[in-house]
Amino acid sequence: DRVLVIEVKNRLEKRMVDRFVSEKMPNFKKFFPQYKDCSVLGGVGALVMQDDVGRYAEKKGLYVLTQSGDGGAMLANPRNFRAREFA
């Protein structure tokens, strides 16, 4: 009943977060009608992300994925994070 849409970039910038939230997320169900009855959550990931950009994305209600020390990926949101539900 939920779908998570994640955009991944090499280097994430605030303008990319804004575009994802204002342009891409609102159109998701139009392009993927099979998810019309699902709650849609969003996330962004990047190999390079400044702390302020990650916090900015989190304030927009997005999950934030970044590179971990061992070369994998990790969720950077705090445990009490509540993701925004997009229409």
Side-chain angles (χ1 to χ4, degrees):
D1 63 337
R2 283 189 262 178
V3 62
L4 176 59
V5 179
I6 299 178
E7 181 164 271
V8 178
K9 299 287 187 185
N10 183 34
R11 178 180 179 86
L12 187 68
E13 298 175 7
K14 287 181 180 179
R15 67 178 172 76
M16 296 171 181
V17 172
D18 288 335
R19 184 166 183 248
F20 181 66
V21 169
S22 67
E23 296 177 23
K24 295 181 178 183
M25 290 301 291
N27 288 314
F28 177 77
K29 288 184 181 181
K30 181 171 101 177
F31 293 117
F32 298 95
Q34 65 269 36
Y35 298 109
K36 68 179 173 27
D37 297 325
C38 294
S39 298
V40 180
L41 307 174
V44 290
L47 294 174
V48 178
M49 183 184 319
Q50 294 179 348
D51 288 342
D52 65 319
V53 176
R55 286 190 302 274
Y56 182 77
E58 187 177 299
K59 287 180 182 175
K60 297 281 185 176
L62 301 172
Y63 285 104
V64 177
L65 297 151
T66 189
Q67 190 172 12
S68 66
D70 62 2
M74 65 178 218
L75 190 61
N77 303 83
R79 288 192 186 275
N80 63 348
F81 173 73
R82 294 291 241 191
R84 173 180 169 188
E85 209 171 290
F86 293 85

